[in-house]
């Protein structure tokens, strides 16, 4: 019997840091962002649907989708964002379910699904337990500005496009407070796994 853990957070909350810790413990991680990138590559079903919806001006010279250009459209237009999600999300779910099945057949006892929009997209049915990586909003905003070299307006638009972290806290089985050091975050993760009866070696 495999335990499927849904790992989520908000943009710039530190979810990738926790995801890396799982990998260092040799726990397989299925990353929704990676699957979303693969799902929209040339030749994939979602690729043609996106061009039909948004036009060829979102393509780079090599014919691939210009993700920053597409991102700048959807982060400021909720309706466009919804259309994109309706195209991409079913493909991403299909790809992730295939990876879960493969990991189970491989005898993995724990599988992590790294899904930024786990709650927004109502994907909790895919997992057994959920972990939220949480930071205060001001910390989140500052980290996003520094990491992506964004203006405050653009950074706030990206944060607003997701459910507030404070709301996600109420939905998660466990919460990791990532306002402190990496070591503190790691300790919280190990404590959660221990409580769930998953005694992993330290990363």
């Amino acid at each position: 019997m495999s335990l499927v853990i849904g790992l989520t957070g908000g943009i710039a909350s530190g979810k990738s840091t926790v995801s890396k810790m799982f990998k260092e413990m040799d726990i397989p991680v299925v990353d929704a962002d990676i699957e979303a990138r693969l799902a929209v590559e040339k030749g994939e079903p979602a690729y043609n649907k996106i061009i039909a919806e948004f036009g060829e001006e979102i393509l780079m010279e090599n014919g691939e989708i210009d993700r920053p250009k597409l991102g700048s459209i959807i982060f400021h237009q909720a309706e466009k964002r919804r259309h994109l999600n309706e195209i991409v999300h079913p493909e991403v779910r299909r790809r992730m379910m295939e990876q879960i099945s493969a990991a189970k057949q491989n005898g993995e006892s724990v599988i992590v699904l790294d899904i930024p929009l786990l709650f927004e997209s109502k994907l909790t049915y895919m997992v057994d337990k959920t972990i939220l990586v949480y930071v205060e909003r001001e910390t989140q905003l500052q980290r996003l500005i520094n990491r992506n070299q964004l203006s405050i307006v653009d950074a706030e638009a990206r944060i607003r496009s997701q459910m507030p972290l404070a709301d996600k806290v109420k939905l998660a089985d466990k919460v990791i407070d990532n306002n402190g050091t990496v070591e503190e975050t790691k300790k919280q993760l190990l404590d959660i796994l221990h409580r769930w009866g998953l005694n992993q070696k330290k990363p």
Side-chain angles (χ1 to χ4, degrees), residues 8-11 85 89 115-124 132 158-165 167-168 171:
T8 194
I11 191 167
N85 289 342
H89 285 181
I115 308 179
L117 302 179
L118 178 68
F119 298 123
E120 290 94 327
S121 301
K122 297 179 172 55
L123 297 179
T124 50
L132 171 71
R158 280 160 170 73
I159 291 173
R160 273 199 309 275
S161 75
Q162 299 180 350
M163 184 189 297
L165 282 172
D167 292 348
K168 294 185 182 186
L171 302 173

Side-chain angles (χ1 to χ4, degrees), residues 31-97:
D31 189 324
D33 282 345
I34 291 174
E35 296 307 315
R37 277 196 288 274
L38 295 172
V40 300
E41 285 187 344
K42 285 167 73 173
E44 294 292 331
Y47 173 86
N48 294 324
K49 292 178 184 175
I50 291 170
I51 295 170
E53 175 68 34
F54 292 91
E56 293 191 354
E57 58 268 21
I58 62 158
L59 297 180
M60 297 187 288
E61 285 184 13
N62 62 5
E64 291 178 3
I65 292 170
D66 187 330
R67 290 172 62 84
K69 186 177 284 187
L70 183 58
S72 67
I73 295 170
I74 64 162
F75 277 121
H76 295 284
Q77 298 182 57
E79 189 69 8
K80 291 284 189 183
R81 185 163 66 246
R82 186 176 65 78
H83 285 315
L84 181 66
N85 289 342
E86 286 172 355
I87 294 168
V88 176
H89 285 181
E91 282 299 303
V92 175
R93 285 195 292 271
R94 180 185 64 77
R95 297 176 70 94
M96 294 185 84
M97 292 304 290

Side-chain angles (χ1 to χ4, degrees), residues 5-11 13-16 18-19 22 112-113 115-120 129-136 140 162-179 185 188-189 192 196:
I5 298 172
L7 175 66
T8 194
I11 191 167
S13 68
K15 180 178 56 60
S16 297
V18 177
S19 180
F22 275 115
V112 174
L113 299 192
I115 308 179
L117 302 179
L118 178 68
F119 298 123
E120 290 94 327
K129 299 276 191 182
T130 57
I131 296 176
L132 171 71
V133 184
Y134 175 85
V135 289
E136 298 292 343
Q140 183 185 21
Q162 299 180 350
M163 184 189 297
L165 282 172
D167 292 348
K168 294 185 182 186
V169 166
K170 302 165 194 166
L171 302 173
D173 292 315
K174 296 290 182 185
V175 177
I176 291 176
D177 185 329
N178 194 37
N179 287 294
T185 296
Q188 291 175 73
L189 174 60
I192 290 168
W196 287 346

